[in-house]
Amino acid sequence: MGEEQVVREIGHDEYDPKGTLALIGVYFVILLVMWVFMYFVEFLGNELTVV
Amino acid sequence: MNIHNYEKIWLMAAILLIVGFISTVTYGATAVGVDMISDDGGTVNASALDEDPRFSEPRVEQVGENEYEAYVIAQQFIFRPDPITVPANSTVTFFVTSPDVIHGFEIVGTNANAMVVPGQVTELTVEFNEPGEYGLLCHEYCGAGHHTMEGSVVVQPQDEFTQGGDE
Ligand SMILES: [Cu+2]
């Protein structure tokens, strides 16, 4: 309807989604902590391991 | 090809994660010595367990210094023998089979956890250190009485241990 739209074009390397990076970083750290906890603490730390 | 920096980071992290997972399992299997449940026990005639030399009499048997073998039958809806009595500070190899349907064999709260398949002998070896008592549970649905299917593993002090089978 004739309204002016502001369009900003950015290049490939200007695209910089810091928030997404931080969120995925947090997920990744949770994954690492769960991995270490489940395998080394819960599994290897449990008794009667099958040998 | 123009790959965004963040994508490079993600690719590297994902590759490291896979390498990490594989080395963790390798470490467990080699340095720690965690083994798989094996089918080395072979097979039996599920409908004639009472004629089988290993399972006609479910029992715990001494096979070496501090080494024992337990022959266990899991059936609807009990474990035999019950309790399974083993001495402390021993290495026990369980041979478990079923005359009827698939059962589970889990020494509750431990890593000793296996399936029991009719005709197949499940073999697993574990080490018992301290005297005590463990629960034994069937965790594969095996019929109307499944929820009552339990037994126990009693670890007796070595000087009190006497060999025995079904009472
Ligand atoms: Cu069962």
Side-chain angles (χ1 to χ4, degrees), chain B residues 74-79 100-104 138-143 145-146 149:
Chain B
Q75 65 186 70
Q76 289 168 325
F77 298 101
I78 54 167
F79 290 97
D100 39 49
V101 298
I102 291 179
H103 294 279
C138 171
H139 55 56
E140 294 280 347
Y141 181 75
C142 58
H146 168 65
M149 184 164 169

Side-chain angles (χ1 to χ4, degrees), chain A:
Chain A
M1 308 219 278
E3 270 183 59
E4 257 185 63
Q5 307 247 340
V6 180
V7 177
R8 185 163 64 96
E9 295 222 2
I10 57 171
H12 188 270
D13 289 320
E14 286 169 286
Y15 179 61
D16 194 18
K18 288 207 183 69
T20 307
L21 181 71
L23 189 64
I24 289 177
V26 170
Y27 287 161
F28 202 83
V29 169
I30 292 173
L31 196 71
L32 291 184
V33 170
M34 291 201 303
W35 164 24
V36 170
F37 181 72
M38 282 195 341
Y39 195 85
F40 293 94
V41 179
E42 287 193 316
F43 180 61
L44 291 185
N46 205 357
E47 50 181 347
L48 293 193
T49 295
V50 177
V51 289

Side-chain angles (χ1 to χ4, degrees), chain B residues 97-109:
Chain B
T97 194
S98 158
D100 39 49
V101 298
I102 291 179
H103 294 279
F105 181 89
E106 187 191 6
I107 303 180
V108 178

Side-chain angles (χ1 to χ4, degrees), chain B residues 72-166:
Chain B
V72 180
I73 293 180
Q75 65 186 70
Q76 289 168 325
F77 298 101
I78 54 167
F79 290 97
R80 293 163 54 201
D82 185 25
I84 301 169
T85 307
V86 298
N89 302 311
S90 65
T91 302
V92 180
T93 302
F94 290 93
F95 296 87
V96 195
T97 194
S98 158
D100 39 49
V101 298
I102 291 179
H103 294 279
F105 181 89
E106 187 191 6
I107 303 180
V108 178
T110 74
N111 294 340
N113 182 342
M115 266 174 96
V116 185
V117 182
Q120 189 78 44
V121 180
T122 301
E123 183 184 333
L124 65 151
T125 302
V126 299
E127 281 162 358
F128 290 97
N129 299 316
E130 300 296 307
E133 187 174 344
Y134 296 96
L136 183 61
L137 211 61
C138 171
H139 55 56
E140 294 280 347
Y141 181 75
C142 58
H146 168 65
H147 62 290
T148 66
M149 184 164 169
E150 58 172 2
S152 63
V153 177
V154 176
V155 187
Q156 284 187 334
Q158 243 168 350
D159 49 345
E160 284 172 35
F161 178 74
T162 46
Q163 257 168 268
D166 262 336

Side-chain angles (χ1 to χ4, degrees), chain B residues 39-60:
Chain B
D39 62 354
D40 293 346
T43 56
V44 284
N45 181 354
S47 48
L49 286 189
D50 48 350
E51 291 159 25
D52 188 89
R54 291 189 289 180
F55 292 100
S56 58
E57 199 193 317
R59 66 199 179 276
V60 176

